[in-house]
Amino acid sequence: HKIYWVTVEDTLSSAKSRFAAYGYEVEFVDRCSIRYGELLASAKYLVTDNSFPPFISKREEQVYLNTWHGTPLKTLGKSDIKNATSLANIQKNYLMADYALFPNELTRQVFMKDYMLEYVFQGNLLMCDYPRNCALFDDRIQKEIRKTLKLQGKQLIAYMPTWRGSNRTADAQIQKEILCRYFDEIDRQLTDDQIFYVNLHFLVGNIIDYSHYQHIRPFPAAYETYDFLGVCDLLVTDYSSVFFDYARPDRRIILFAYDLEEYMRERGTYFSIYDLPFPIVKTTKELVDEINALGGELTNTYGIAVEELQAAIPCGINKINVDTDIRLAVTRNMKELFVKYPELRTSASIGEIYELLEAKKSQFDPRVFLPPIMDTVMKGTIPDDDVAAIVNCVERGVKEVVG
């Protein structure tokens, strides 16, 4: 089969870089071209995560798969009647589709009800997860990306906000001005060990200059979005469905809802954002404080001073601070454990470890915090599940650094 990938002028360059990096051979087609219309009329298979233009009618011999692009938090279709200009075309697309993929029952119910498909949809329902989510569990490619981009020892924060508004050009400029103001504040508050990676709607992302920021960068164009998202240590979003995909017990999510009241007046949701198990912040200070909630006041985390390493490199001498990286990883894992399971803070077995972590925030050597379970450290005995959880933090920290 020959694969055609549809782009617009603003996304063509990044699409070419990405497919070249992965070694995939595709032909790019501009969405506004005559060729695009010809292919829609003649291709055997049609696949989209949104909808095809209103002028398209699928031929009987064609096979059409619609995957949509996320589990909805925001209202759609007739439940969002103020923004329902696309309702008829999306309904038409689903009525043409041979297969409609829904990652969960909520999404299926929303589309059947709010696009009025309940008794007229004739295609096949595919109840299965989005294939893109597999990338979030691919440890191999995540380690490869960190190594290639030299990101070891960095805290990577992904920022993926939703698109706001309906007037594409005007709203893009407004969103740019708002985001740049926030980025200026965030950049000043982050440390050299933190990188705030941004993935915006292309209409906004393509008009923002990131070059003057010290700690803020766009997602690398060479990698598929979810491949790189999987590398990141935490996700900052707002009302975007991306949190449904990213959410799992070992991942942190923060909702930066700086315009919460205004947004909710303009756009409804299927359930309250306050029902979600994620912290909600409205200012950049609250955001950075939440990002650093697991951190301390660490100093000298380089091991050998950076200046000494730089002076030695021309002499053919180099050193990787494996020991320091392991200590940082283990201590971070223990902090995360007590944040995710606050009941462990009063555990008879490991509660004292939490107290030491709180009392000695400038320390990052796990040996400072492990005396309460010294029998386990010295003899390998694991008396209960709480101690086993700490042992798991140690083992994962070592594996993260040395594989």
Side-chain angles (χ1 to χ4, degrees):
H1 298 291
K2 187 176 179 67
I3 299 174
Y4 298 90
W5 190 265
V6 181
T7 68
V8 294
E9 183 179 354
D10 290 321
T11 61
L12 178 59
S13 177
S14 60
K16 285 183 175 180
S17 297
R18 187 168 301 173
F19 278 97
Y22 284 86
Y24 296 148
E25 293 186 9
V26 301
E27 181 176 322
F28 298 99
V29 181
D30 190 290
R31 194 174 189 272
C32 300
S33 66
I34 294 176
R35 179 63 172 152
Y36 174 61
E38 293 173 345
L39 288 169
L40 285 179
S42 59
K44 173 65 176 178
Y45 299 99
L46 304 172
V47 181
T48 184
D49 66 354
N50 199 309
S51 60
F52 290 116
F55 59 80
I56 294 302
S57 292
K58 184 184 79 74
R59 297 175 185 272
E60 184 176 349
E61 64 271 17
Q62 291 180 301
V63 179
Y64 176 11
L65 165 64
N66 192 306
T67 69
W68 202 243
H69 50 271
T71 297
L73 169 67
K74 299 167 290 187
T75 51
L76 300 171
K78 68 178 184 179
S79 288
D80 182 35
I81 202 66
K82 290 188 297 184
N83 299 301
T85 54
S86 62
L87 188 157
N89 185 50
I90 293 175
Q91 182 191 58
K92 174 190 174 184
N93 268 258
Y94 273 89
L95 293 176
M96 289 193 300
D98 297 285
Y99 299 94
L101 187 154
F102 298 114
N104 47 60
E105 185 61 22
L106 168 66
T107 307
R108 187 195 71 80
Q109 290 178 4
V110 163
F111 274 79
M112 291 296 116
K113 173 178 175 290
D114 282 341
Y115 288 106
M116 297 166 281
L117 301 168
E118 288 177 291
Y119 302 108
V120 292
F121 178 74
Q122 299 295 311
N124 300 282
L125 297 178
L126 303 177
M127 299 297 297
C128 59
D129 197 9
Y130 289 127
R132 70 185 183 195
N133 290 355
C134 294
L136 298 176
F137 297 87
D138 193 332
D139 292 337
R140 181 193 60 79
I141 195 165
Q142 291 168 19
K143 290 177 181 177
E144 181 181 303
I145 292 174
R146 270 193 180 262
K147 182 178 179 181
T148 300
L149 299 181
K150 298 180 172 58
L151 297 174
Q152 297 95 326
K154 300 288 187 181
Q155 183 187 32
L156 308 183
I157 304 139
Y159 180 48
M160 301 177 69
T162 194
W163 168 256
R164 288 163 168 77
S166 55
N167 185 308
R168 292 164 70 90
T169 304
D171 287 336
Q173 186 60 38
I174 293 170
Q175 288 185 48
K176 174 194 173 184
E177 294 171 2
I178 293 171
L179 289 173
C180 285
R181 186 171 68 249
Y182 286 127
F183 289 166
D184 289 343
E185 296 174 7
I186 292 168
D187 195 50
R188 287 194 295 268
Q189 298 178 66
L190 296 177
T191 69
D192 290 343
D193 291 330
Q194 296 172 309
I195 305 177
F196 195 80
Y197 276 102
V198 176
N199 187 66
L200 305 174
H201 189 286
F202 72 88
L203 286 173
V204 183
N206 286 353
I207 58 175
I208 290 181
D209 178 12
Y210 297 93
S211 63
H212 65 285
Y213 293 119
Q214 187 174 357
H215 308 109
I216 300 178
R217 305 174 189 172
F219 267 42
Y223 295 104
E224 198 279 325
T225 301
Y226 271 42
D227 279 347
F228 190 76
L229 176 60
V231 177
C232 294
D233 300 297
L234 64 93
L235 168 68
V236 177
T237 185
D238 42 30
Y239 324 105
S240 170
S241 64
V242 67
F243 64 70
F244 285 108
D245 297 339
Y246 190 78
R248 69 187 212 195
D250 61 339
R251 300 281 193 177
R252 293 180 63 208
I253 297 173
I254 302 170
L255 303 183
F256 182 32
Y258 56 82
D259 59 350
L260 179 59
E261 289 76 16
E262 177 188 352
Y263 191 88
M264 289 304 163
R265 283 196 302 269
E266 296 296 321
R267 185 74 181 266
T269 56
Y270 286 107
F271 52 87
S272 172
I273 193 173
Y274 292 104
D275 291 339
L276 294 166
F278 315 126
I280 301 173
V281 299
K282 298 181 181 180
T283 68
T284 57
K285 184 181 185 306
E286 291 175 344
L287 173 61
V288 175
D289 286 347
E290 191 63 44
I291 289 172
N292 294 330
L294 300 183
E297 300 160 0
L298 306 184
T299 59
N300 192 31
T301 58
Y302 290 108
I304 293 178
V306 174
E307 295 78 11
E308 294 179 24
L309 286 172
Q310 290 173 336
I313 288 173
C315 303
I317 301 172
N318 204 348
K319 176 183 182 292
I320 299 174
N321 288 313
V322 173
D323 179 60
T324 302
D325 289 347
I326 289 174
R327 296 182 195 188
L328 285 166
V330 171
T331 300
R332 182 204 64 215
N333 289 344
M334 291 193 293
K335 287 176 179 286
E336 287 182 343
L337 178 71
F338 288 110
V339 168
K340 292 171 186 172
Y341 305 103
E343 67 274 12
L344 294 179
R345 299 173 186 177
T346 56
S347 164
S349 302
I350 63 174
E352 289 182 54
I353 294 178
Y354 171 73
E355 293 174 3
L356 288 169
L357 285 165
E358 287 296 294
K360 301 184 177 184
K361 291 188 175 182
S362 64
Q363 300 289 323
F364 64 90
D365 190 334
R367 291 173 294 186
V368 173
F369 313 113
L370 293 177
I373 59 167
M374 193 52 66
D375 280 349
T376 298
V377 174
M378 300 301 294
K379 302 176 183 177
T381 56
I382 301 178
D384 57 40
D385 290 342
D386 293 354
V387 174
I390 292 292
V391 172
N392 179 258
C393 289
V394 176
E395 292 176 346
R396 285 192 293 111
V398 173
K399 290 179 180 177
E400 287 171 20
V401 176
V402 299

